Amino acid sequence: MATEIRALLDEGAAKLARACDEPRREAEVLLGAALGRSRAWLLANPDEVIIDCEATDRYEALLTRRSYGEPVAYLLGEKEFWSLPLRVGPGVLVPRPETELVVERALAHLPADRDLDVLDLASGSGAIALALASERPRCRVVAIDIASAAVETTRENALRLELVDRVTVLQGAWFDPCAGRRFDLIASNPPYIAADDARVEPGVRRYEPADALFSGSTGLEALQVIAAGAPLHLRPGGWLVVEHGDTQGAAVRAFCSATGFEDVRTFRDLSGLERCTEGRLRG
């Protein structure tokens, strides 16, 4: 049955009203994906009549999946991060805008005119590693994740973005795959949510990988492991930059100070919440 774009979007927004904060916008994104059109085109042609039944069926299927909480990035198979189109899918954490703060702080400590070694722990889709490699061509970046889905996704993204010559992807727990190596900077967006944190959206808890989200009873366990292990894998004067929860800044600063870091500072995200802490290894 032929239907105008405006009506399809109205229907979609109504269906997603309880599933997300921006139902109209997400309906536009999903209809654009189903039609193979940009969101801008949809907004410019609200009276266009769609007669492609297969496309409208795809749209209905996407709306249904999203209404149950499945991330839009999984539905589309892609998520933009640092202006890079990253492939994502089930088993891989969806990159968040907040993590771009880690990239910003890391870049502040990576001069563009030097050959430097960088480690990205818990790399997920490769968001941090690939963003740094794209901005600093002279850096040699190692990305590590324990999950095979994340490792495969990072490798695929590095290939798609033509960054395979700058990014080495390894599988293993934390620092194990790089034993004996030292870096100029270590960056990480590790799991940092407490297992019983009631603030986690049901869709996130249901669909995204638990190992990439949750870290023990306090949420601080992975951050403590990183702060303790980083000094053994950093060159003197090297930097550690980690993302953490909005109530964990003080604890992370304490971890870093206790394990040999100085110039320890916490930075706030665009919402004004403490989100990223850095420190420089003494020496």
Side-chain angles (χ1 to χ4, degrees):
M1 182 176 67
T3 311
E4 291 181 352
I5 285 175
R6 181 184 290 106
L8 289 169
L9 292 176
D10 289 344
E11 172 194 339
K15 192 166 186 176
L16 299 180
R18 295 185 179 181
C20 60
D21 294 331
E22 298 181 286
R24 182 76 180 194
R25 183 182 183 281
E26 293 199 6
E28 292 164 358
V29 170
L30 296 180
L31 181 56
L35 294 175
R37 295 281 193 172
S38 70
R39 182 167 167 253
W41 183 89
L42 297 180
L43 297 177
N45 297 275
D47 298 321
E48 184 82 11
V49 175
I50 304 301
I51 59 175
D52 184 345
C53 293
E54 290 186 2
T56 55
D57 286 346
R58 287 194 297 271
Y59 177 54
E60 289 293 337
L62 291 171
L63 288 174
T64 298
R65 292 168 63 186
R66 181 61 183 136
S67 70
Y68 287 117
E70 188 169 353
V72 172
Y74 288 177
L75 300 179
L76 304 182
E78 188 172 284
K79 176 72 173 181
E80 184 177 289
F81 180 87
W82 201 260
S83 298
L84 301 175
L86 299 179
R87 287 276 176 87
V88 293
V92 178
L93 186 72
V94 176
R96 266 69 168 180
E98 294 85 351
T99 304
E100 293 192 350
L101 180 57
V102 176
V103 176
E104 291 176 13
R105 294 311 310 157
L107 289 173
H109 305 302
L110 295 171
D113 60 350
R114 292 179 55 192
D115 297 326
L116 298 169
D117 294 296
V118 177
L119 173 62
D120 175 14
L121 285 175
S123 60
S125 62
I128 293 173
L130 296 168
L132 294 177
S134 71
E135 294 284 352
R136 296 290 187 267
R138 294 183 61 172
C139 281
R140 297 172 293 267
V141 184
V142 174
I144 293 176
D145 203 291
I146 195 170
S148 57
V151 168
E152 292 168 7
T153 299
T154 298
R155 286 175 176 157
E156 180 183 0
N157 282 324
L159 182 63
R160 293 177 68 228
L161 297 171
E162 300 182 347
L163 293 170
V164 290
D165 59 331
R166 304 181 208 166
V167 180
T168 300
V169 188
L170 303 175
Q171 184 171 3
W174 301 120
F175 298 98
D176 289 351
C178 61
R181 295 188 60 178
R182 288 188 180 266
F183 300 85
D184 298 288
L185 183 141
I186 296 172
S188 182
N189 173 24
Y192 56 72
I193 302 174
D196 62 351
D197 192 330
R199 297 185 300 170
V200 180
E201 296 177 5
V204 171
R205 191 180 290 273
R206 183 182 305 122
Y207 288 100
E208 296 194 59
D211 289 347
L213 292 166
F214 303 105
S215 180
S217 60
T218 68
L220 291 166
E221 286 80 352
L223 289 159
Q224 192 165 17
V225 168
I226 293 170
L232 301 176
H233 296 87
L234 278 171
R235 296 183 176 120
W239 286 89
L240 173 65
V241 183
V242 295
E243 181 175 333
H244 51 72
D246 57 11
T247 63
Q248 297 172 333
V252 177
R253 290 193 296 275
F255 293 158
C256 291
S257 297
T259 53
F261 288 92
E262 57 189 7
D263 299 328
V264 177
R265 296 178 61 192
T266 297
F267 295 83
R268 296 179 182 272
D269 60 24
L270 294 177
S271 298
L273 302 173
E274 292 193 334
R275 184 63 62 187
C276 172
T277 293
E278 66 181 31
R280 182 171 59 85
L281 186 64
R282 296 189 186 98

